[in-house]
Amino acid sequence: MPTRKMTGRWRPAKLVAVTAAGLLTLATAAACSSSGSSSSGSAPAATGSSSASTGTSPITQFPRNETLYTSGTLYSAPSTWNPYNLGNYTTGAQGLIYEPLFLYDPAKGVLKPWLASSGTWDAANKVYTIKVRDNVKWSDGQPLTGADVAWSITSAATNAANPYNSNAASVASATASGNTVTVTFKGTPAYAAWDSYLWKAPVVSKAEFSKVPATQVATWADTKPVGTGPMTLLTYNATETAYQVKPDWWGSTAMGLNFKFKYLVDVVNGSNNVELGALTSGQVDWSNNFLPNINQLINGIGGYGFKTYYPNAPYMLPANTAWLTFNTNKAPFNNVNFRKAMAYAINPDHVVNNVYGGLVKAADPTGLLPNLSQYVDQGVVSQYGFKYDPNKAKAFLAQSGYHGQQVTLQVPNGWTDWMAAINTLAQDMKAVGINVQTVTPEYAARTTNLTTGNYDMAIDNNANLDSTPWTYFQRVYNLPIQSQQTAQLNWERFNSPADWALVQKAGSTPTSDTASLKATYGQLEKDFLQQLPMIPVWYNGAWFQGSTQHWTNYPTSGTANDAIPSLWRGYIGSLTSVYALANLSPAPKAS
């Protein structure tokens, strides 16, 4: 599946500066990439003279009361707006410029029509018909047509270089007649994969992307993107990207979504302290960084008035499941009793409270995120689930044949919250007699260790927020096991053909057949809890902090304004972040 884990990491970077006139300045970098310009031409600047630049970026100013400053997604200089370059595209390439056919709303558990006004299966669930929304234009003024949608689907289905190839692999053809697109499939459709395609994959311009060689569809820079989204690329340098709101965006008329700001400037992430300083000073409004102890500054404490998705603990929307992952190919991890001992030995609340200060919550024993709770068989969890119990841990350890040999637990160096978490987990394990050594290789080395099987235990979180449990169990049970496991699939190397068959069964069951799907997922949950190929520990948060110095009405759970407050790749442009942006209002002027 073309998903990326988003854990809110950071690297040092230059931030915006406040000028004497009260304007925020797009910082000039000594060595920066060539700036891009939107197809809509130049934009008004605070001085009335600046335009989209070429070559080295000049200082470009934006009125503070018309500009939303964001941070928390990008960790290096912006360089590509190609939405198919999943690991590298600049914040907003998907969502602000390119858009999908549908959006997934986790709060409601539904797909919202977006560039598609509707999508329906025929009576036999073999043919899918898409009605492309009328009166949508690309940023070059040309209309969005069914041919653009058909080309996007066909590229995914036929081009192995397209990152959505696995989602559309069962598609036989996609043909357009006006704004109606008919999609046929090879044999039984891969319903779950296709469902993911509908809300994750971008619709691109046939006129633009058909010029790109098929092998380069995911690698070309696309620095002058032509999209249907609410904004156009204005300018960029090594430390920021500036977008301008498109006044004739189709969503204003069709969806009633209107932005109260004219510009959105996304800032390359800095260190923890730099990011927190930018937020508290009002230089950044919307932060998607992990900021330790931010809960101490929420709801007006200290006069900052920061907002989070939940007003109280856990504060952050669950974004992905942090697993304790085992290498089940080697002893003692190939013994189920040893794995069960680990499950009862660790206390997730120690991580939740001692490491995160209540910003996150402990995971369900199945590991499925709360938005998928309707798929969790509570009877199965009650019978086979586990919880912190050192005595049970010691009993299972005695049955496992473990004799005190040292085992290692690793996370990437510099991921400070995870480093603290493994130290906490190691203390729990040592308390029941497990000899654990924590190690922190560099990120690239750690990833190589997991893909090649050169590890004992690790924390991993590659199962992200999704509309069904299918991608979760696909990651757990995918077969065959190879010498190098890629695509974040079955890094624990657990060999269960019966469960892999169940995953395939779920993937080929129509998403409307909820009874059959619940039965299949219930069996997978039962097997998972009995086998414990990995242990769900906590839910990483969709880190979000909103400053109310310049903007208010940030999204809040349990209200009509419950949109997703994240601009991470895989979130903005797939989930409901655009609603959250449109709901923002200027902060009342201080008396």
Side-chain angles (χ1 to χ4, degrees):
M1 293 298 299
T3 54
R4 297 280 298 182
K5 66 179 180 180
M6 301 296 169
T7 56
R9 307 300 159 191
W10 44 87
R11 296 173 188 163
K14 186 187 293 183
L15 283 171
V16 290
V18 180
T19 68
L23 303 171
L24 279 174
T25 301
L26 197 63
T28 301
C32 62
S33 58
S34 298
S35 292
S37 60
S38 71
S39 60
S40 59
S42 63
T47 59
S49 61
S50 180
S51 64
S53 59
T54 58
T56 301
S57 300
I59 294 176
T60 307
Q61 297 177 331
F62 301 92
R64 189 61 180 91
N65 64 341
E66 296 180 342
T67 308
L68 178 72
Y69 283 85
T70 65
S71 188
T73 295
L74 203 62
Y75 303 94
S76 59
S79 60
T80 176
W81 283 262
N82 182 349
Y84 289 137
N85 193 341
L86 296 185
N88 299 296
Y89 69 68
T90 302
T91 305
Q94 172 82 329
L96 302 184
I97 294 179
Y98 294 100
E99 300 177 295
L101 292 165
F102 292 82
L103 298 180
Y104 172 58
D105 184 350
K108 308 292 190 303
V110 298
L111 296 187
K112 291 177 175 287
W114 204 245
L115 290 183
S117 59
S118 67
T120 55
W121 289 98
D122 67 351
N125 285 310
K126 297 295 185 182
V127 177
Y128 192 83
T129 301
I130 299 167
K131 297 293 185 182
V132 179
R133 193 177 293 278
D134 295 325
N135 303 316
V136 177
K137 291 184 178 180
W138 297 101
S139 53
D140 63 2
Q142 296 300 308
L144 168 71
T145 67
D148 294 308
V149 173
W151 189 93
S152 300
I153 296 170
T154 301
S155 172
T158 60
N159 184 4
N162 189 305
Y164 294 94
N165 179 253
S166 62
N167 295 91
S170 67
V171 171
S173 68
T175 58
S177 176
N179 270 11
T180 299
V181 177
T182 302
V183 184
T184 61
F185 295 82
K186 309 167 188 173
T188 300
Y191 296 103
W194 175 247
D195 185 77
S196 292
Y197 178 89
L198 292 173
W199 61 274
K200 293 178 181 176
V203 174
V204 299
S205 166
K206 177 181 178 181
E208 296 294 321
F209 273 75
S210 63
K211 301 173 185 176
V212 180
T215 56
Q216 299 175 26
V217 71
T219 57
W220 76 294
D222 194 18
T223 56
K224 296 183 179 180
V226 176
T228 58
M231 301 182 194
T232 54
L233 176 61
L234 181 59
T235 188
Y236 63 96
N237 60 30
T239 55
E240 296 106 354
T241 306
Y243 297 97
Q244 181 176 9
V245 172
K246 192 193 305 179
D248 59 348
W249 177 50
W250 66 269
S252 298
T253 302
M255 311 298 289
L257 299 176
N258 294 290
F259 300 96
K260 316 309 185 295
F261 52 86
K262 292 183 180 179
Y263 310 102
L264 186 151
V265 177
D266 188 70
V267 183
V268 173
N269 294 0
S271 65
N272 279 3
N273 290 338
V274 170
E275 289 294 317
L276 182 59
L279 192 67
T280 55
S281 66
Q283 292 178 291
V284 166
D285 304 302
W286 173 309
S287 172
N288 289 135
N289 275 81
F290 167 63
L291 299 177
N293 303 316
I294 192 67
N295 52 304
Q296 298 177 15
L297 303 177
I298 293 169
N299 298 328
I301 300 174
Y304 294 110
F306 295 155
K307 297 297 180 182
T308 50
Y309 188 69
Y310 298 111
N312 301 298
Y315 298 104
M316 303 296 166
L317 176 77
N320 51 59
T321 305
W323 289 317
L324 176 61
T325 301
F326 307 118
N327 184 347
T328 63
N329 262 358
K330 58 191 300 187
F333 308 102
N334 58 357
N335 187 297
V336 67
N337 287 321
F338 183 80
R339 300 195 298 270
K340 288 182 177 180
M342 302 286 270
Y344 286 102
I346 62 178
N347 187 345
D349 287 340
H350 290 164
V351 174
V352 169
N353 297 319
N354 300 340
V355 175
Y356 289 101
L359 288 175
V360 300
K361 64 183 297 185
D364 181 89
T366 66
L368 294 176
L369 288 165
N371 69 298
L372 299 177
S373 60
Q374 70 271 26
Y375 291 101
V376 176
D377 188 326
Q378 295 300 335
V380 166
V381 173
S382 177
Q383 184 173 358
Y384 300 103
F386 55 88
K387 60 182 180 180
Y388 177 57
D389 188 332
N391 290 329
K392 279 192 176 181
K394 292 176 182 178
F396 279 114
L397 198 61
Q399 298 175 43
S400 71
Y402 173 72
H403 298 296
Q405 61 268 39
Q406 186 181 88
V407 295
T408 60
L409 171 57
Q410 64 178 273
V411 297
N413 185 40
W415 292 25
T416 54
D417 53 329
W418 281 21
M419 292 167 69
I422 61 172
N423 288 333
T424 298
L425 295 176
Q427 291 175 12
D428 288 346
M429 296 175 197
K430 290 176 181 178
V432 300
I434 300 172
N435 182 9
V436 181
Q437 175 69 39
T438 60
V439 293
T440 56
E442 293 303 312
Y443 175 78
R446 170 263 189 187
T447 301
T448 298
N449 290 342
L450 267 66
T451 58
T452 59
N454 182 31
Y455 77 103
D456 291 342
M457 295 184 290
I459 297 296
D460 185 42
N461 68 326
N462 65 50
N464 291 298
L465 194 153
D466 220 316
S467 55
T468 73
W470 181 72
T471 55
Y472 181 90
F473 287 113
Q474 181 200 31
R475 295 185 187 283
V476 175
Y477 289 115
N478 190 81
L479 292 178
I481 298 170
Q482 303 177 30
S483 58
Q484 180 163 319
Q485 292 285 82
T486 58
Q488 301 174 327
L489 301 176
N490 197 355
W491 279 354
E492 75 279 11
R493 290 165 167 75
F494 191 78
N495 189 9
S496 177
D499 288 297
W500 178 231
L502 286 172
V503 174
Q504 293 173 298
K505 178 182 178 181
S508 59
T509 299
T511 52
S512 59
D513 189 354
T514 55
S516 295
L517 287 172
K518 286 183 178 180
T520 302
Y521 289 130
Q523 182 61 53
L524 282 166
E525 291 159 17
K526 178 181 177 181
D527 293 351
F528 180 87
L529 292 172
Q530 289 182 302
Q531 301 158 347
L532 290 179
M534 55 182 60
I535 299 172
V537 185
W538 76 91
Y539 295 132
N540 266 319
W543 316 120
F544 164 71
Q545 298 83 203
S547 167
T548 56
Q549 293 189 43
H550 300 284
W551 300 97
T552 62
N553 201 32
Y554 290 102
T556 304
S557 175
T559 69
N561 186 17
D562 61 358
I564 299 300
S566 178
L567 306 184
W568 289 345
R569 300 184 190 101
Y571 283 66
I572 183 173
S574 296
L575 306 176
T576 53
S577 306
V578 66
Y579 285 88
L581 291 171
N583 283 333
L584 291 178
S585 300
K589 293 182 179 180
S591 59

